[in-house]
Amino acid sequence: MDRLDRKIIAALRDNGRATYADIGRAVGLSPSSVHERVGKLEAAGVITGYHATVDPRSVGLGVTALVGIQPTDTGSNDEIADELIGLAEVESCYAVAGDEAFVVKVRVETVDELEHTLGRLRRIGGVARTRTTVVLSTRFEGRPNNRLLDADGDGVTS
């Protein structure tokens, strides 16, 4: 991945709907060159997808919580993770160091629905306990970190 690929990735992370012409103007390439490079980045698994960012409250998901999941001594992290994949209300799952094996981000409609979801999490085989932090407000989320995608790829911005 060279300097131009890094610039293309940064442009797409800032605006996933940018046209190849827009990106080309920003990085100094023709639209066809950008298209070719994006295709290669997709094929290499660097670019893994595109999605719309939606305000959760506007689609009825007004409660967000971060839930730490501590396994039993005999609990299998792989089996727990497989069960978590099946819960639509679990948006993200992070394997972490510490007492918990996972921290998951849960979004639901109401506090009552959060209580129901926590019960479902606790009933997963191999889960000993959960620890929940309810999010009161979100200052920012999903912000692209383009620090290492600057012109030189060294993390130093000018």
Side-chain angles (χ1 to χ4, degrees):
M1 189 166 45
D2 66 11
R3 179 181 60 82
L4 289 171
D5 288 336
R6 292 177 191 281
K7 285 183 167 185
I8 290 168
I9 293 167
L12 284 171
R13 292 190 75 199
D14 287 337
N15 179 5
R17 296 187 71 185
T19 66
Y20 295 135
D22 292 338
I23 296 169
R25 279 190 292 279
V27 303
L29 291 174
S30 69
S32 62
S33 293
V34 172
H35 180 262
E36 181 181 342
R37 283 175 175 263
V38 168
K40 287 179 181 178
L41 291 165
E42 291 169 344
V46 175
I47 297 174
T48 59
Y50 303 87
H51 68 276
T53 303
V54 177
D55 175 20
R57 292 173 309 222
S58 69
V59 294
L61 300 174
V63 177
T64 303
L66 304 175
V67 182
I69 298 174
Q70 185 173 356
T72 62
D73 290 339
T74 58
S76 163
N77 287 355
D78 289 339
E79 290 175 11
I80 293 170
D82 287 344
E83 291 292 323
L84 292 170
I85 290 170
L87 301 177
E89 55 269 50
V90 174
E91 283 193 0
S92 303
C93 176
Y94 306 97
V96 297
D99 290 336
E100 287 100 10
F102 301 101
V103 173
V104 297
K105 180 168 66 172
V106 172
R107 284 201 208 270
V108 292
E109 299 88 338
T110 64
V111 174
D112 288 340
E113 187 61 30
L114 176 60
E115 182 178 19
H116 176 73
T117 299
L118 292 173
R120 290 176 64 194
L121 290 172
R122 290 185 194 110
R123 285 190 297 275
I124 293 174
V127 171
R129 68 182 57 86
T130 62
R131 184 174 60 177
T132 303
T133 302
V134 176
V135 175
L136 299 177
S137 66
T138 302
R139 303 301 177 153
F140 62 87
E141 178 177 53
R143 159 178 90 161
N145 178 352
N146 290 331
R147 188 178 68 82
L148 294 178
L149 298 174
D150 68 348
D152 299 321
D154 62 5
V156 179
T157 56
S158 33

Coordinates of all heavy atoms in Angstrom, one line a residue, residues 22-111:
D22 N -14.3 12.6 -7.6 CA -14.0 13.4 -6.5 C -12.7 13.0 -5.8 O -11.9 13.9 -5.4 CB -15.2 13.3 -5.4 CG -16.5 13.9 -5.9 OD1 -16.4 14.8 -6.8 OD2 -17.5 13.5 -5.4
I23 N -12.6 11.7 -5.6 CA -11.4 11.2 -4.9 C -10.1 11.5 -5.8 O -9.1 11.9 -5.3 CB -11.5 9.7 -4.6 CG1 -12.6 9.5 -3.6 CG2 -10.2 9.1 -4.1 CD1 -13.0 8.0 -3.5
G24 N -10.3 11.3 -7.1 CA -9.2 11.5 -8.0 C -8.7 13.0 -7.9 O -7.5 13.2 -7.9
R25 N -9.6 13.9 -7.9 CA -9.2 15.3 -7.8 C -8.5 15.6 -6.4 O -7.5 16.3 -6.4 CB -10.5 16.2 -7.8 CG -11.0 16.5 -9.2 CD -12.0 17.6 -9.3 NE -13.3 17.2 -8.7 CZ -14.2 16.5 -9.3 NH1 -14.0 16.0 -10.5 NH2 -15.3 16.1 -8.6
A26 N -8.9 14.9 -5.4 CA -8.3 15.1 -4.1 C -6.9 14.5 -4.0 O -6.1 15.0 -3.3 CB -9.2 14.5 -3.0
V27 N -6.7 13.4 -4.7 CA -5.4 12.7 -4.6 C -4.5 12.9 -5.8 O -3.4 12.4 -5.8 CB -5.6 11.2 -4.2 CG1 -6.4 11.1 -3.0 CG2 -6.2 10.5 -5.4
G28 N -5.0 13.5 -6.9 CA -4.2 13.7 -8.1 C -4.2 12.6 -9.0 O -3.1 12.3 -9.7
L29 N -5.3 11.8 -9.1 CA -5.3 10.7 -10.1 C -6.6 10.8 -10.9 O -7.5 11.5 -10.6 CB -5.4 9.3 -9.3 CG -4.2 8.9 -8.5 CD1 -4.5 7.6 -7.7 CD2 -3.0 8.6 -9.5
S30 N -6.6 10.1 -12.0 CA -7.8 10.0 -12.9 C -8.8 9.1 -12.2 O -8.5 8.2 -11.4 CB -7.4 9.4 -14.2 OG -7.1 8.0 -14.1
P31 N -10.1 9.3 -12.5 CA -11.1 8.4 -11.9 C -10.9 7.0 -12.2 O -11.1 6.1 -11.3 CB -12.4 8.9 -12.6 CG -12.1 10.3 -12.9 CD -10.7 10.4 -13.3
S32 N -10.4 6.6 -13.4 CA -10.2 5.2 -13.7 C -9.0 4.6 -12.8 O -9.1 3.5 -12.4 CB -9.9 5.0 -15.2 OG -8.7 5.7 -15.6
S33 N -8.0 5.4 -12.6 CA -6.9 5.0 -11.7 C -7.4 4.8 -10.3 O -7.0 3.8 -9.6 CB -5.8 6.0 -11.7 OG -5.2 6.0 -13.0
V34 N -8.3 5.7 -9.8 CA -8.9 5.5 -8.5 C -9.7 4.2 -8.4 O -9.6 3.4 -7.5 CB -9.7 6.7 -8.1 CG1 -10.4 6.5 -6.7 CG2 -8.8 8.0 -7.9
H35 N -10.5 4.0 -9.5 CA -11.4 2.8 -9.5 C -10.5 1.6 -9.5 O -10.8 0.6 -8.7 CB -12.2 2.9 -10.8 CG -13.1 1.7 -11.0 ND1 -12.8 0.6 -11.7 CD2 -14.3 1.4 -10.4 CE1 -13.7 -0.3 -11.7 NE2 -14.7 0.2 -10.9
E36 N -9.4 1.5 -10.2 CA -8.6 0.4 -10.2 C -7.9 0.1 -8.8 O -7.9 -1.0 -8.4 CB -7.5 0.6 -11.3 CG -6.5 -0.6 -11.4 CD -5.4 -0.4 -12.4 OE1 -5.6 0.5 -13.3 OE2 -4.4 -1.1 -12.3
R37 N -7.5 1.2 -8.2 CA -6.8 1.1 -6.9 C -7.8 0.6 -5.9 O -7.5 -0.2 -5.0 CB -6.2 2.4 -6.5 CG -4.8 2.6 -7.2 CD -4.3 4.0 -6.8 NE -3.0 4.2 -7.4 CZ -1.8 4.1 -6.8 NH1 -1.8 3.7 -5.5 NH2 -0.7 4.3 -7.4
V38 N -9.1 1.2 -5.9 CA -10.1 0.8 -4.9 C -10.4 -0.7 -5.1 O -10.6 -1.4 -4.1 CB -11.3 1.7 -5.1 CG1 -12.5 1.1 -4.3 CG2 -11.1 3.1 -4.6
G39 N -10.5 -1.1 -6.3 CA -10.8 -2.5 -6.6 C -9.7 -3.4 -6.0 O -10.0 -4.5 -5.4
K40 N -8.5 -3.0 -6.1 CA -7.4 -3.8 -5.6 C -7.4 -3.8 -4.1 O -7.1 -4.8 -3.4 CB -6.0 -3.3 -6.1 CG -5.7 -3.6 -7.5 CD -4.4 -3.0 -8.0 CE -4.2 -3.4 -9.5 NZ -2.9 -2.8 -10.0
L41 N -7.7 -2.6 -3.5 CA -7.8 -2.5 -2.0 C -9.0 -3.4 -1.5 O -8.9 -4.0 -0.4 CB -8.0 -1.1 -1.6 CG -6.8 -0.2 -1.8 CD1 -7.1 1.3 -1.7 CD2 -5.7 -0.6 -0.8
E42 N -10.1 -3.5 -2.2 CA -11.2 -4.4 -1.9 C -10.8 -5.8 -2.0 O -11.0 -6.6 -1.1 CB -12.4 -4.1 -2.7 CG -13.1 -2.7 -2.5 CD -14.1 -2.4 -3.5 OE1 -14.1 -3.0 -4.6 OE2 -14.9 -1.4 -3.3
A43 N -10.1 -6.2 -3.1 CA -9.7 -7.6 -3.3 C -8.7 -8.0 -2.2 O -8.7 -9.2 -1.8 CB -9.1 -7.7 -4.7
A44 N -7.9 -7.1 -1.8 CA -6.9 -7.4 -0.8 C -7.5 -7.5 0.6 O -6.8 -7.8 1.6 CB -5.7 -6.4 -0.8
G45 N -8.7 -7.1 0.8 CA -9.4 -7.1 2.1 C -9.1 -5.9 3.0 O -9.4 -5.8 4.1
V46 N -8.4 -4.9 2.3 CA -8.2 -3.6 3.1 C -9.5 -2.9 3.3 O -9.8 -2.4 4.4 CB -7.1 -2.8 2.3 CG1 -6.9 -1.4 3.0 CG2 -5.8 -3.5 2.3
I47 N -10.2 -2.7 2.2 CA -11.6 -2.1 2.2 C -12.5 -3.3 2.4 O -12.6 -4.1 1.5 CB -11.9 -1.3 1.0 CG1 -10.9 -0.1 0.9 CG2 -13.3 -0.8 1.0 CD1 -11.1 0.8 -0.3
T48 N -13.2 -3.3 3.5 CA -14.1 -4.5 3.7 C -15.6 -4.3 3.5 O -16.4 -5.2 3.6 CB -13.9 -5.0 5.2 OG1 -14.2 -3.9 6.1 CG2 -12.5 -5.4 5.4
G49 N -16.0 -3.0 3.2 CA -17.4 -2.8 3.0 C -17.7 -1.3 3.0 O -16.9 -0.5 3.3
Y50 N -19.0 -1.0 2.7 CA -19.5 0.4 2.8 C -20.8 0.3 3.5 O -21.6 -0.7 3.4 CB -19.7 0.9 1.3 CG -18.4 0.8 0.5 CD1 -18.1 -0.3 -0.2 CD2 -17.6 2.0 0.4 CE1 -16.9 -0.3 -1.0 CE2 -16.4 1.9 -0.3 CZ -16.1 0.8 -1.0 OH -14.9 0.8 -1.7
H51 N -21.2 1.3 4.2 CA -22.4 1.3 5.0 C -22.9 2.8 5.2 O -22.1 3.7 5.2 CB -22.3 0.6 6.3 CG -21.4 1.3 7.3 ND1 -20.1 1.2 7.3 CD2 -21.7 2.1 8.3 CE1 -19.6 1.9 8.3 NE2 -20.6 2.5 8.9
A52 N -24.2 2.9 5.5 CA -24.8 4.1 5.9 C -24.7 4.3 7.4 O -24.9 3.3 8.1 CB -26.2 4.2 5.4
T53 N -24.4 5.5 7.9 CA -24.4 5.8 9.3 C -25.7 6.4 9.6 O -26.1 7.4 9.0 CB -23.2 6.7 9.7 OG1 -22.0 6.1 9.2 CG2 -23.2 7.0 11.1
V54 N -26.4 5.8 10.6 CA -27.8 6.2 10.9 C -27.9 6.6 12.4 O -27.2 5.9 13.2 CB -28.8 5.0 10.6 CG1 -30.2 5.3 11.0 CG2 -28.7 4.5 9.2
D55 N -28.6 7.6 12.7 CA -28.8 8.0 14.0 C -29.7 6.9 14.7 O -30.8 6.8 14.3 CB -29.5 9.4 14.1 CG -29.9 9.8 15.5 OD1 -29.3 9.3 16.5 OD2 -30.8 10.7 15.6
P56 N -29.2 6.2 15.7 CA -29.9 5.1 16.3 C -31.3 5.6 16.9 O -32.3 4.9 16.8 CB -29.0 4.6 17.4 CG -27.6 5.1 17.1 CD -27.8 6.4 16.3
R57 N -31.3 6.8 17.5 CA -32.6 7.2 18.1 C -33.7 7.4 17.0 O -34.8 7.1 17.2 CB -32.4 8.6 18.8 CG -31.6 8.4 20.0 CD -31.3 9.8 20.6 NE -30.7 10.6 19.5 CZ -29.7 11.4 19.5 NH1 -29.1 11.6 20.7 NH2 -29.3 12.1 18.5
S58 N -33.3 7.8 15.8 CA -34.3 8.0 14.7 C -34.9 6.7 14.2 O -35.9 6.7 13.6 CB -33.6 8.8 13.6 OG -32.7 8.0 12.9
V59 N -34.2 5.6 14.5 CA -34.8 4.3 14.1 C -35.3 3.5 15.4 O -35.5 2.3 15.4 CB -33.8 3.4 13.3 CG1 -33.6 4.1 12.0 CG2 -32.5 3.2 14.0
G60 N -35.5 4.2 16.5 CA -36.1 3.7 17.7 C -35.2 3.0 18.7 O -35.6 2.4 19.6
L61 N -33.8 3.2 18.5 CA -32.9 2.5 19.4 C -32.3 3.6 20.3 O -31.2 4.1 20.1 CB -31.8 1.8 18.6 CG -32.2 0.7 17.6 CD1 -31.1 0.2 16.8 CD2 -32.9 -0.4 18.4
G62 N -33.1 3.9 21.4 CA -32.7 5.0 22.2 C -31.9 4.7 23.4 O -31.4 5.6 24.1
V63 N -31.6 3.4 23.6 CA -30.8 3.0 24.8 C -29.5 2.3 24.3 O -29.6 1.3 23.6 CB -31.6 2.1 25.8 CG1 -30.7 1.6 26.9 CG2 -32.8 2.8 26.3
T64 N -28.4 2.8 24.7 CA -27.1 2.1 24.4 C -26.4 1.7 25.7 O -26.4 2.5 26.6 CB -26.2 3.1 23.6 OG1 -26.9 3.5 22.4 CG2 -24.9 2.4 23.2
A65 N -25.8 0.5 25.7 CA -25.1 0.1 26.9 C -23.8 -0.7 26.4 O -23.8 -1.3 25.4 CB -26.0 -0.8 27.7
L66 N -22.8 -0.6 27.2 CA -21.6 -1.4 27.1 C -21.6 -2.4 28.2 O -21.8 -2.1 29.3 CB -20.4 -0.5 27.2 CG -20.3 0.7 26.3 CD1 -19.1 1.6 26.6 CD2 -20.3 0.3 24.9
V67 N -21.5 -3.7 27.7 CA -21.7 -4.8 28.6 C -20.4 -5.6 28.6 O -20.0 -6.2 27.6 CB -22.9 -5.7 28.2 CG1 -23.1 -6.8 29.2 CG2 -24.2 -4.8 28.1
G68 N -19.8 -5.8 29.8 CA -18.7 -6.6 30.0 C -19.2 -8.0 30.3 O -20.1 -8.2 31.1
I69 N -18.6 -9.0 29.6 CA -19.0 -10.4 29.8 C -17.9 -11.2 30.4 O -16.8 -11.4 29.7 CB -19.5 -11.0 28.5 CG1 -20.7 -10.2 27.9 CG2 -19.9 -12.5 28.6 CD1 -21.2 -10.6 26.6
Q70 N -18.1 -11.8 31.6 CA -17.1 -12.6 32.2 C -17.5 -14.1 32.0 O -18.6 -14.5 32.4 CB -17.0 -12.3 33.7 CG -15.8 -13.0 34.4 CD -15.6 -12.5 35.8 OE1 -16.2 -11.6 36.2 NE2 -14.7 -13.2 36.5
P71 N -16.6 -14.9 31.5 CA -17.0 -16.3 31.3 C -16.8 -17.1 32.6 O -16.1 -16.7 33.5 CB -16.0 -16.8 30.2 CG -14.8 -15.9 30.4 CD -15.3 -14.6 30.9
T72 N -17.4 -18.3 32.6 CA -17.1 -19.2 33.7 C -15.7 -19.8 33.5 O -15.1 -19.6 32.4 CB -18.1 -20.4 33.7 OG1 -18.0 -21.1 32.5 CG2 -19.5 -19.9 33.9
D73 N -15.2 -20.5 34.4 CA -13.9 -21.1 34.3 C -13.8 -22.1 33.1 O -12.7 -22.3 32.5 CB -13.4 -21.9 35.6 CG -13.2 -20.9 36.7 OD1 -12.9 -19.7 36.4 OD2 -13.2 -21.3 37.9
T74 N -14.9 -22.7 32.8 CA -15.0 -23.7 31.7 C -15.6 -23.1 30.5 O -15.7 -23.8 29.5 CB -15.7 -24.9 32.2 OG1 -17.0 -24.6 32.5 CG2 -15.0 -25.6 33.3
G75 N -16.0 -21.9 30.5 CA -16.7 -21.3 29.3 C -15.7 -21.1 28.2 O -14.5 -20.8 28.3
S76 N -16.2 -21.4 27.0 CA -15.4 -21.2 25.8 C -15.7 -19.9 25.1 O -16.8 -19.6 24.8 CB -15.8 -22.4 24.8 OG -15.3 -22.0 23.5
N77 N -14.6 -19.1 25.0 CA -14.8 -17.8 24.4 C -15.3 -17.9 22.9 O -16.2 -17.1 22.5 CB -13.5 -17.0 24.4 CG -13.1 -16.5 25.7 OD1 -13.8 -16.7 26.7 ND2 -11.9 -16.0 25.8
D78 N -14.9 -18.9 22.2 CA -15.4 -19.1 20.8 C -16.9 -19.4 20.8 O -17.6 -18.8 20.0 CB -14.6 -20.2 20.1 CG -13.2 -19.8 19.7 OD1 -12.9 -18.5 19.7 OD2 -12.4 -20.7 19.5
E79 N -17.3 -20.2 21.7 CA -18.8 -20.6 21.8 C -19.6 -19.4 22.2 O -20.7 -19.1 21.7 CB -19.0 -21.8 22.7 CG -18.4 -23.1 22.1 CD -18.5 -24.2 23.1 OE1 -19.2 -24.1 24.1 OE2 -18.0 -25.3 22.7
I80 N -19.1 -18.6 23.2 CA -19.8 -17.4 23.6 C -19.9 -16.4 22.5 O -21.0 -15.8 22.2 CB -19.1 -16.8 24.9 CG1 -19.2 -17.7 26.1 CG2 -19.7 -15.4 25.2 CD1 -18.3 -17.3 27.3
A81 N -18.8 -16.2 21.8 CA -18.8 -15.2 20.6 C -19.8 -15.7 19.6 O -20.5 -14.9 19.0 CB -17.4 -15.1 20.1
D82 N -19.8 -17.0 19.3 CA -20.8 -17.5 18.3 C -22.2 -17.2 18.7 O -23.1 -16.9 17.9 CB -20.6 -19.0 18.1 CG -19.3 -19.4 17.4 OD1 -18.7 -18.5 16.7 OD2 -18.9 -20.6 17.5
E83 N -22.5 -17.3 20.0 CA -23.9 -17.0 20.5 C -24.1 -15.5 20.4 O -25.3 -15.0 20.0 CB -24.1 -17.4 21.9 CG -24.1 -18.9 22.1 CD -25.3 -19.5 21.5 OE1 -26.4 -18.9 21.6 OE2 -25.2 -20.7 21.0
L84 N -23.1 -14.6 20.7 CA -23.3 -13.2 20.6 C -23.6 -12.7 19.2 O -24.4 -11.8 19.0 CB -22.1 -12.5 21.1 CG -21.8 -12.6 22.6 CD1 -20.4 -12.1 22.9 CD2 -22.8 -12.0 23.4
I85 N -23.1 -13.4 18.2 CA -23.3 -13.1 16.8 C -24.8 -13.2 16.5 O -25.3 -12.4 15.7 CB -22.5 -14.0 15.8 CG1 -21.0 -13.6 15.9 CG2 -23.0 -13.9 14.4 CD1 -20.1 -14.6 15.2
G86 N -25.5 -14.1 17.1 CA -26.9 -14.3 16.9 C -27.8 -13.3 17.5 O -29.1 -13.3 17.3
L87 N -27.3 -12.4 18.3 CA -28.2 -11.4 19.0 C -28.1 -10.1 18.2 O -27.1 -9.4 18.2 CB -27.7 -11.2 20.4 CG -27.7 -12.4 21.3 CD1 -27.1 -12.0 22.7 CD2 -29.1 -12.9 21.4
A88 N -29.2 -9.7 17.6 CA -29.2 -8.5 16.7 C -28.9 -7.2 17.5 O -28.4 -6.3 16.9 CB -30.6 -8.4 16.0
E89 N -29.3 -7.2 18.8 CA -29.1 -6.0 19.6 C -27.6 -5.8 19.9 O -27.2 -4.7 20.4 CB -30.0 -6.0 20.8 CG -29.8 -7.2 21.7 CD -30.8 -8.3 21.3 OE1 -30.9 -8.7 20.2 OE2 -31.5 -8.8 22.3
V90 N -26.8 -6.8 19.7 CA -25.3 -6.6 20.0 C -24.7 -6.1 18.7 O -24.6 -6.8 17.7 CB -24.7 -8.0 20.4 CG1 -23.2 -7.8 20.5 CG2 -25.3 -8.5 21.7
E91 N -24.3 -4.8 18.7 CA -23.7 -4.2 17.5 C -22.2 -4.4 17.3 O -21.8 -4.5 16.2 CB -23.9 -2.6 17.6 CG -25.3 -2.2 17.3 CD -25.4 -0.7 17.1 OE1 -24.3 0.0 17.2 OE2 -26.5 -0.2 16.8
S92 N -21.5 -4.5 18.4 CA -20.1 -4.7 18.4 C -19.7 -5.6 19.5 O -20.3 -5.6 20.6 CB -19.3 -3.4 18.6 OG -19.7 -2.4 17.6
C93 N -18.6 -6.4 19.2 CA -18.1 -7.3 20.3 C -16.6 -7.2 20.2 O -15.9 -7.5 19.2 CB -18.5 -8.7 20.0 SG -17.9 -10.0 21.1
Y94 N -16.0 -6.9 21.4 CA -14.5 -6.8 21.5 C -14.0 -7.8 22.5 O -14.5 -7.9 23.6 CB -14.2 -5.4 22.0 CG -14.7 -4.3 21.1 CD1 -15.9 -3.7 21.5 CD2 -14.1 -3.9 19.9 CE1 -16.5 -2.7 20.7 CE2 -14.7 -2.9 19.2 CZ -15.8 -2.3 19.5 OH -16.4 -1.3 18.8
A95 N -13.0 -8.6 22.1 CA -12.3 -9.5 23.0 C -11.3 -8.6 23.7 O -10.6 -7.8 23.1 CB -11.6 -10.6 22.3
V96 N -11.3 -8.7 25.1 CA -10.5 -7.7 25.9 C -9.7 -8.4 26.9 O -10.0 -9.6 27.3 CB -11.5 -6.7 26.6 CG1 -12.2 -5.8 25.5 CG2 -12.4 -7.3 27.5
A97 N -8.7 -7.7 27.4 CA -7.9 -8.2 28.6 C -8.6 -7.8 29.8 O -9.2 -6.7 29.9 CB -6.5 -7.7 28.4
G98 N -8.4 -8.5 30.9 CA -9.0 -8.1 32.2 C -9.9 -9.2 32.7 O -9.9 -10.4 32.2
D99 N -10.8 -8.8 33.6 CA -11.7 -9.8 34.2 C -12.7 -10.3 33.1 O -13.1 -11.5 33.2 CB -12.5 -9.2 35.4 CG -11.6 -9.0 36.6 OD1 -10.6 -9.7 36.7 OD2 -11.9 -8.1 37.4
E100 N -13.2 -9.4 32.3 CA -14.1 -9.8 31.3 C -13.4 -10.4 30.0 O -12.2 -9.9 29.8 CB -15.0 -8.6 30.8 CG -16.0 -8.2 31.8 CD -15.6 -7.0 32.6 OE1 -14.6 -6.4 32.3 OE2 -16.3 -6.7 33.6
A101 N -14.0 -11.3 29.3 CA -13.4 -11.8 28.1 C -13.9 -10.9 26.9 O -13.2 -10.8 25.9 CB -13.9 -13.2 27.8
F102 N -15.1 -10.3 27.1 CA -15.7 -9.5 26.0 C -16.3 -8.2 26.6 O -16.8 -8.2 27.7 CB -16.8 -10.2 25.3 CG -16.4 -11.5 24.6 CD1 -16.6 -12.7 25.2 CD2 -15.7 -11.5 23.4 CE1 -16.2 -13.9 24.7 CE2 -15.3 -12.7 22.8 CZ -15.6 -13.9 23.5
V103 N -16.3 -7.2 25.7 CA -17.1 -6.0 26.0 C -18.0 -5.9 24.7 O -17.4 -5.9 23.6 CB -16.3 -4.7 26.2 CG1 -17.3 -3.5 26.3 CG2 -15.5 -4.9 27.5
V104 N -19.3 -5.8 24.9 CA -20.2 -5.7 23.7 C -20.9 -4.4 23.8 O -21.2 -3.9 24.9 CB -21.2 -6.9 23.6 CG1 -20.4 -8.2 23.4 CG2 -22.1 -7.0 24.8
K105 N -21.3 -3.8 22.6 CA -22.1 -2.6 22.6 C -23.5 -3.1 22.2 O -23.7 -3.8 21.2 CB -21.6 -1.6 21.6 CG -22.5 -0.4 21.5 CD -21.9 0.8 20.7 CE -21.7 0.5 19.3 NZ -21.3 1.6 18.5
V106 N -24.5 -2.8 23.0 CA -25.8 -3.2 22.8 C -26.7 -1.9 22.6 O -26.5 -0.9 23.3 CB -26.4 -3.9 24.1 CG1 -27.9 -4.2 24.0 CG2 -25.6 -5.2 24.3
R107 N -27.6 -2.0 21.6 CA -28.5 -0.9 21.4 C -29.9 -1.5 21.3 O -30.2 -2.5 20.6 CB -28.3 -0.2 20.0 CG -27.1 0.7 20.0 CD -27.3 1.7 18.9 NE -26.0 2.2 18.4 CZ -25.4 3.2 18.9 NH1 -25.9 3.9 19.9 NH2 -24.2 3.6 18.4
V108 N -30.8 -0.9 22.1 CA -32.2 -1.4 22.2 C -33.1 -0.2 22.3 O -32.7 0.9 22.4 CB -32.4 -2.3 23.4 CG1 -31.6 -3.7 23.3 CG2 -31.9 -1.7 24.7
E109 N -34.4 -0.5 22.3 CA -35.5 0.5 22.3 C -35.6 1.2 23.6 O -35.7 2.4 23.7 CB -36.8 -0.1 21.8 CG -36.8 -0.7 20.5 CD -36.4 -2.2 20.4 OE1 -35.7 -2.6 21.4 OE2 -36.7 -2.8 19.5
T110 N -35.7 0.4 24.7 CA -36.0 0.9 26.0 C -35.2 0.2 27.1 O -34.5 -0.8 26.8 CB -37.5 0.6 26.4 OG1 -37.7 -0.9 26.4 CG2 -38.5 1.2 25.3
V111 N -35.3 0.7 28.3 CA -34.6 0.1 29.4 C -35.1 -1.3 29.7 O -34.4 -2.2 30.1 CB -34.6 1.0 30.7 CG1 -34.0 0.4 31.9 CG2 -33.9 2.4 30.4

